[in-house]
Amino acid sequence: MPIIDRPVEFNAESLALIEKKNSDPAFTHTNWGDDDLKALRAEVRNHYRTIQRLQCVYCKEPIGIRAAHAAPIEHIVPKSQYLEFIFEPKNLCVFCPNCNEYKG
């Protein structure tokens, strides 16, 4: 069974924000860290922590339960190259800080 068997389903507020961001011509991958996306990122992180059973999708080591830096959100297909997938649920997961550092 795959570690991710159910992609995140965004709530209504997040969907409205995604629509707003996608219609903004100034929005780029560098805006992923913007403050107005904080709740959306928390929604993604909390969902995948549960679905992945607190396990990194790459190395299978534990990820953090509470701190955001202990479970960074991963864009499987790079958001810098494929902006159209920045909010795509099947392109998102969480991984451990070690894999995050290795990838970077």
Side-chain angles (χ1 to χ4, degrees), residues 55-63 95-96 98-99:
Q55 205 176 48
C56 176
V57 294
Y58 295 122
C59 70
K60 308 295 189 247
E61 291 295 318
I63 57 174
F95 62 155
C96 71
N98 287 335
C99 286

Side-chain angles (χ1 to χ4, degrees), residues 75-88:
H75 288 83
I76 299 164
V77 174
K79 64 184 182 292
S80 62
Q81 295 176 350
Y82 299 94
L83 187 61
E84 65 271 25
F85 297 128
I86 195 166
F87 298 112
E88 171 56 46

Side-chain angles (χ1 to χ4, degrees), residues 17-32:
L17 182 56
I18 289 168
E19 186 175 328
K20 177 183 170 190
K21 292 293 188 178
N22 283 335
S23 66
D24 180 357
F27 181 76
T28 71
H29 71 281
T30 61
N31 296 108
W32 175 253

Side-chain angles (χ1 to χ4, degrees), residues 40-101:
L40 182 141
R41 291 191 307 271
E43 181 180 1
V44 169
R45 186 174 293 105
N46 291 335
H47 172 81
Y48 286 114
R49 277 179 170 148
T50 301
I51 295 302
Q52 295 173 214
R53 297 175 297 282
L54 297 175
Q55 205 176 48
C56 176
V57 294
Y58 295 122
C59 70
K60 308 295 189 247
E61 291 295 318
I63 57 174
I65 295 171
R66 295 185 54 152
H69 71 275
I73 297 171
E74 162 72 334
H75 288 83
I76 299 164
V77 174
K79 64 184 182 292
S80 62
Q81 295 176 350
Y82 299 94
L83 187 61
E84 65 271 25
F85 297 128
I86 195 166
F87 298 112
E88 171 56 46
K90 291 182 180 180
N91 190 42
L92 302 169
C93 62
V94 290
F95 62 155
C96 71
N98 287 335
C99 286
N100 186 29
E101 186 174 320

